[in-house]
Amino acid sequence: MASHLNTDYKVLLHKVEKEKRHTYSFLPLAHNISRPLVGTFSEQKLNLPGLEVKIDPLRDYRHGSFASHIMGYLGEINQRELGLLAERGYKLGDLIGKSGLEKRYDVWLRGVDGGKQIEIDARGRKLRVLRTYNSRPGSGLYLTIDYELQKIAEKLLEGKRGSIVVIRPQTGEVLALTSQPDFDPNLFAHRIKRSDWERLTSDPGLPLLNRATQGRYPPASLFKIITAVAALEEGIIQKDEKISCTGEFPLGNRVFHCWREEGHGEVAILEAISDSCDLFFYRLGLKCGPERLLKYAKRFGLGTPTGIDLNIEEKGLVPLLSR
């Protein structure tokens, strides 16, 4: 049998010895075997008592890498996961969600396996069916993702590294979420080959990293909104009050520049926001002070996870003030 599976006999024996202490109904020895090999095992079944060739359904990601960081990927259940999920009907050899929606909603998506309780003789021959268990399909999952928007977002990032997220502000619904480089979940649905896994994990572009939920980046000009709200709420500036932008702002031993080299001149807060005037907010930020900026950054949710249901999310970084 080991020769048919192109596996060393000692490796196969070690796997059986390692797992036989567990009381599972079967021990998977190989996956994705060829049709000729299925025929060979079927012909030699009488000489291989206890051997069973199983046909299992597989995920089919029809659009390949499209929205891969939303969908996530599958992997074979490990001992830790099995210990947590065995009571829910999970068993050795099952493919379960490892990231993304596949992991978050695995219990709802997988359904219930069917099967038959069969009486066999000492040689492994079937005598009769004692009981039949009907399978039940899993639940459907409807997303807020807009297919056309998702296509546009992925097209914009093609060949680049980065992330685009489109949200409906009124409800918080995510309409598009993409991270590039991406990957093809079909590689995992068929139990990923070692060569493919090594290629993905050694890729400097980090295709398995969801840059939308796991990346940590400076907020850049978006922080101008938080600075403006802090200044207005705390009465530090009035709506029509103006601050001068000359294009240069010396601070310590450095000189900071506005994106418009000649400066914006005298600008009020609404104009400063619409023109994204850097110097206006440098000066306004100093007037607010770090305590107020920290207070409003936290009120806006910076530094805390959003709670998006993609399983893996890193919270942002908000500097703590030293006392």
Side-chain angles (χ1 to χ4, degrees):
M1 180 177 175
S3 60
H4 288 303
L5 295 175
N6 196 27
T7 303
D8 184 87
Y9 170 76
K10 292 182 179 179
V11 173
L12 198 62
L13 181 62
H14 174 73
K15 184 173 184 178
V16 173
E17 291 293 330
K18 179 181 177 182
E19 301 294 346
K20 72 178 183 180
R21 64 182 182 276
H22 300 293
T23 57
Y24 303 118
S25 58
F26 72 95
L27 169 65
L29 299 178
H31 302 283
N32 301 323
I33 63 176
S34 64
R35 285 181 178 273
L37 197 52
V38 171
T40 298
F41 285 145
S42 298
E43 292 172 358
Q44 299 184 13
K45 191 168 184 180
L46 291 179
N47 300 321
L48 298 169
L51 178 67
E52 183 78 22
V53 177
K54 290 190 62 183
I55 300 176
D56 291 322
L58 293 174
R59 285 277 200 274
D60 179 23
Y61 300 90
R62 296 171 57 191
H63 301 288
S65 62
F66 181 79
S68 59
H69 287 93
I70 298 174
M71 302 302 178
Y73 60 86
L74 302 172
E76 189 168 342
I77 193 169
N78 58 39
Q79 291 295 341
R80 183 187 64 82
E81 294 165 332
L82 190 60
L84 296 172
L85 298 170
E87 292 184 356
R88 290 179 173 265
Y90 289 72
K91 57 187 180 299
L92 196 66
D94 278 352
L95 286 177
I96 69 169
K98 295 289 186 175
S99 74
L101 296 176
E102 288 285 13
K103 181 174 178 65
R104 176 64 178 80
Y105 294 103
D106 190 274
V107 173
W108 289 270
L109 291 170
R110 70 185 297 105
V112 177
D113 291 338
K116 294 180 179 179
Q117 184 178 3
I118 299 173
E119 182 181 357
I120 60 174
D121 63 16
R123 296 177 63 84
R125 293 176 296 193
K126 295 180 183 178
L127 299 180
R128 58 178 176 147
V129 176
L130 301 177
R131 188 173 180 183
T132 299
Y133 301 90
N134 294 325
S135 61
R136 295 202 305 270
S139 301
L141 192 62
Y142 296 89
L143 310 184
T144 61
I145 298 298
D146 184 298
Y147 177 74
E148 295 300 328
L149 272 179
Q150 182 71 23
K151 282 202 304 185
I152 293 171
E154 298 205 4
K155 182 68 175 178
L156 289 171
L157 280 180
E158 200 170 87
K160 304 174 183 176
R161 297 183 189 181
S163 173
I164 294 176
V165 180
V166 182
I167 297 174
R168 179 175 283 122
Q170 295 86 346
T171 62
E173 293 171 287
V174 178
L175 304 179
L177 184 151
T178 184
S179 177
Q180 291 288 342
D182 55 16
F183 60 92
D184 186 353
N186 286 302
L187 293 173
F188 296 86
H190 297 79
R191 287 184 167 81
I192 191 167
K193 298 176 182 177
R194 179 179 293 275
S195 58
D196 288 327
W197 176 253
E198 291 176 349
R199 174 176 56 80
L200 288 172
T201 54
S202 63
D203 188 329
L206 304 176
L208 296 180
L209 174 71
N210 187 341
R211 286 172 162 81
T213 62
Q214 295 175 272
R216 292 175 169 180
Y217 311 102
S221 289
L222 288 176
F223 201 79
K224 292 173 181 175
I225 303 298
I226 295 176
T227 306
V229 171
L232 291 170
E233 289 291 320
E234 297 290 329
I236 294 169
I237 194 173
Q238 299 303 311
K239 181 179 177 181
D240 298 325
E241 187 176 342
K242 295 186 177 182
I243 294 178
S244 175
C245 170
T246 60
E248 292 186 348
F249 178 63
L251 181 66
N253 60 356
R254 294 184 60 185
V255 177
F256 295 87
H257 298 272
C258 186
W259 68 265
R260 180 179 289 177
E261 293 183 7
E262 68 276 17
H264 289 84
E266 299 287 327
V267 289
I269 195 164
L270 291 180
E271 183 184 356
I273 291 174
S274 63
D275 283 352
S276 194
C277 176
D278 297 322
L279 262 65
F280 181 96
F281 288 101
Y282 292 159
R283 297 183 188 279
L284 189 60
L286 286 176
K287 287 186 177 183
C288 288
E291 289 85 2
R292 292 190 182 97
L293 291 178
L294 176 62
K295 172 184 173 181
Y296 282 88
K298 288 186 173 181
R299 286 190 176 184
F300 272 85
L302 272 65
T304 57
T306 66
I308 189 170
D309 49 348
L310 289 181
N311 182 60
I312 301 176
E313 182 184 13
E314 294 289 343
K315 64 180 182 180
L317 299 176
V318 175
L320 297 176
L321 298 177
S322 58
R323 298 295 182 184

